[in-house]
Amino acid sequence: MIGAAQRTVRDLRRGNRATVLRALYFDGPASRQELSETIGLSPATVSNVTGDLLESGVVVEAGLVDSDGGRPRVLLRVNTTHGYTVGVDVGETHVRAELFDLDMNRKARAEYALRPARHDAGLVVGHVLAGIDTLLAESGVPAERVLGVGVGVPGIVETGPDAVIHAPTLGWDGVPLGGLLRAGTDLPLFVDNGARSMGQAELWFGMGRRARHAVVVLIGSGVGASVITDGSTYLGADSSAGEWGHTKIMVGGHRCRCGGRGCLEAYVGARGILERAGVWTETVDEQAALAELVAGGSPVVDETVTYLGVGLANLINLFNPERIIIGGWAGVLLGEHLLPRIRKVAADNSLAQPYRTVSIGLGRLGVDSVTLGAATLVVEDFLRAPAPQAAGGASTRPRNPAGARS
């Protein structure tokens, strides 16, 4: 019973610390009195928690603010250089790694090209590990100051320490990415689907801020989505939710890289668009080739607008979101030129009531949103104020509600 009581007190303190830390991260700077009023903890509790955070260097003073008749109050904020995070985007054409401080300012970047036919796990793991080393060397940040490494990948990510990946677009079936990376680094690892990683970044820093019900779609070479319901990312029974690209848009239609036919990805993913236009994707720069098709007003692009609008309408009718956010390099490219037409097709194919509720817009974080989102996996763990993690740990995405940064 004593042990249980001790655990209860320890858990309560940890929960209070996490509550204060999240409030300062998303809504700070703030005074102790403001924190107490905002989060509902007593002034004494807030004072004790912030004292511990100040002593550990997680929080620092950020100036003074006048009070009503009393002495000025001290403002507190998260110390943005207390730790650093690494975000990695494992895509079909690249491995991109970036180092961020806690305010998500980029400090260093490394990128390695991948040929479409070369996605063997050893090569990808080598690029990720080399990227981490390059980031630390270029930034001068010591490894012990890095809170962890977040990795966004295509496909389904199984929960568990090995973060097993099933990604047909990479030719991966049961690749234990977490275990392979753990053999080469002692830094804590957090692995998630790239679309969900991007979705969290948009919720925290982009167009999705403060949204409770949203869908963030990633359109690149492939297609995916992150579904946010009541502020939380919907994962499904085995974390495979969000495979929007493999919903069927045409029975018996074009062959998809997953092996099925008629998948949305085969019609709106960059690879599918180019192949339908007769472009040999193995030898071209996909981004440049798609930009040329869009600028030239290709009939295939017109067709793509129809398929994409219908795909968004399906999301609207199924999930009734407040917002749909279009991201990914191909999604942004299509949206910058064709968003009004995409909205029109979505409207024509949606039920009237849910369409009146939704706004459809472009993501604000650019083509690097997956790396930023992967880095937030580490920050999310940091904000939960967990017990110290053993070096070399690996996990999949924490199943906590997504925050929204002001």
Side-chain angles (χ1 to χ4, degrees), residues 12-31:
L12 179 62
R13 289 174 177 169
R14 183 179 299 168
N16 290 340
R17 182 178 184 271
T19 300
V20 170
L21 191 56
R22 289 184 74 87
L24 286 174
Y25 188 78
F26 291 115
D27 299 309
S31 68

Side-chain angles (χ1 to χ4, degrees), residues 100-329:
F100 301 90
D101 64 18
L102 285 177
D103 208 28
M104 306 317 287
N105 297 308
R106 185 190 299 118
K107 297 300 181 181
R109 174 187 173 108
E111 184 166 347
Y112 306 89
L114 292 173
R115 295 200 300 273
R118 290 291 309 279
H119 294 119
D120 59 279
L123 177 67
V124 171
V125 167
H127 286 332
V128 173
L129 296 175
I132 295 170
D133 290 341
T134 298
L135 296 179
L136 298 183
E138 290 187 357
S139 66
V141 172
E144 57 268 22
R145 297 287 301 282
V146 177
L147 301 172
V149 178
V151 184
V153 297
I156 297 170
V157 182
E158 287 188 18
T159 57
D162 284 339
V164 175
I165 312 299
H166 303 274
T169 56
L170 300 182
W172 290 6
D173 183 15
V175 171
L177 183 62
L180 295 173
L181 289 171
R182 192 167 59 248
T185 180
D186 290 332
L187 295 173
L189 298 169
F190 303 84
V191 183
D192 194 14
N193 171 271
R196 285 202 295 263
S197 299
M198 185 190 76
Q200 178 152 293
E202 285 289 349
L203 280 177
W204 283 20
F205 309 115
M207 185 183 172
R209 288 185 300 179
R210 304 300 181 190
R212 300 300 296 172
H213 304 279
V215 181
V216 184
V217 301
L218 185 156
I219 306 173
S221 296
V223 175
S226 176
V227 179
I228 311 301
T229 61
D230 198 25
S232 300
T233 302
Y234 179 70
L235 300 177
D238 60 0
S239 298
S240 69
E243 290 295 329
W244 176 57
H246 301 293
T247 57
K248 303 302 180 183
I249 202 76
M250 183 75 70
V251 175
H254 291 296
R255 176 74 69 180
C256 178
R257 292 177 297 166
C258 73
R261 286 190 175 274
C263 295
L264 181 67
E265 181 175 301
Y267 292 85
V268 306
R271 187 73 56 84
I273 298 171
L274 294 174
E275 289 177 352
R276 292 193 346 267
V279 177
W280 181 246
T281 57
E282 301 298 323
T283 58
V284 301
D285 181 327
E286 288 187 9
Q287 297 190 32
L290 183 58
E292 184 176 346
L293 285 180
V294 172
S298 167
V300 172
V301 174
D302 291 337
E303 184 183 64
T304 298
V305 168
T306 299
Y307 290 125
L308 177 54
V310 170
L312 296 180
N314 289 338
L315 293 174
I316 293 168
N317 292 339
L318 186 61
F319 294 109
N320 186 207
E322 305 164 57
R323 301 176 203 173
I324 289 181
I325 302 161
I326 301 173
W329 68 265

Side-chain angles (χ1 to χ4, degrees), residues 376-389:
T376 69
L377 303 178
V378 183
V379 177
E380 184 176 49
D381 184 75
F382 167 72
L383 295 178
R384 291 185 304 152
Q389 180 175 345

